[in-house]
Amino acid sequence: MRDVIIIGSGPAGWTAAIYAARANLQPMVIASQVEVGGELMNTTEVENFPGFPEAIMGPDLMTKMQQQAERFGAEVVYDDAAELDLDGDVKRVTLGSGKVEEARTVIFATGSAYRKLDIPREDELSGHGISWCATCDGFFFREKAIAVVGGGDSAMEEATFLTKFASKVYLIHRRDEFRASKIMQKRAFDNDKIEVIWNSEVAELQGASGLTGVVLRDTVTGETRELALDGLFIAIGNDPRTHLVHGKLDLTAEGTIAVEGRSSRTSVPGVFAAGDVVDPTYRQAVTAAASGTVAALDAEHYLAALDDVAPAPVEAVTTASL
Ligand code: NAP
């Protein structure tokens, strides 16, 4: 039986695969049917991943990680994990295709999913003026007026990137200061096309078949006003992707998978978790990658301990007794 199945193909999943493959554990990576590479596939330049002084594009970084994992023998499956059976010594992962894969350990590295504003018509207008990915959809907004919602690094990055296409980019934030890093804030403040709208939230989406504007609510006074827009990019953070393990693994109060101390050990023996799905705080490509390393090493130690206590194979007993 296979030793390790890794679910997820972001920095945590690929790094776990590199380490597990180099430890000769021949891991299988369930890389997703449509979202191979995770969040970094939607990013432009990654300037803070050590080893790339000139920056590297997010998708290029993920391709290199995958190539590195495959070079050492990781097997990649382009499908989603649909169901998990984690109890017992044999872990079973049912794929979207219905095929069931088995292994002695599972490393769960499913990352996080875009957060939604949770307002009426958000889903309906998704792809019709509303987007969560500037690099994917920015091109459609040439010379248009658009807005980005959020005050973190993602919002700064998206707004700055979108000025390549749009004639005007509003940056809508619910407070009067950003939480983004200073360098990212400065880039946004220095850009003439970006106008910050402080203390505001999107209360309503307007437009019949496509977005034509929003109603903004002032978070201090409660006053509302209309803002005409061709596009709205939502960049308000992510939530850990844990739906597959609800009721199967313990979660933290923040909704991430609970792990023991600095390890990747979850509440179920033989199941390890790494990356954004365990991290409510740092959520960087490099910390996710490091977390993938921890998971691969923990899985390796777990397997070694299992092999230590397993009954010796018949041949070994015979040889030893000679
Ligand atoms: P984040 O840091 O959690 O910021 C989310 C932002 O959205 C916050 O400003 C928050 O407002 C706002 N927000 C949350 N829920 C909202 C809602 N319902 N309505 C309106 N606004 C809402 O998320 P992020 O920007 O995606 O960044 C996540 C992590 O990735 C961070 O650690 C970040 O440093 C990292 N990252 C790094 C880079 C880079 O270094 N190149 C690029 C992107 C992301 P409040 O501030 O009021 O809470």
Side-chain angles (χ1 to χ4, degrees), residues 48 151-154 157 173-175 179 236-237 282-284:
N48 50 13
D153 282 337
S154 297
E157 188 175 77
H173 185 41
R174 62 185 178 183
R175 292 189 294 130
R179 71 167 62 228
I236 59 171
Y282 302 105
R283 306 203 316 260
Q284 303 294 305

Side-chain angles (χ1 to χ4, degrees), residues 147-159:
V148 174
V149 188
D153 282 337
S154 297
M156 303 303 124
E157 188 175 77
E158 303 254 303

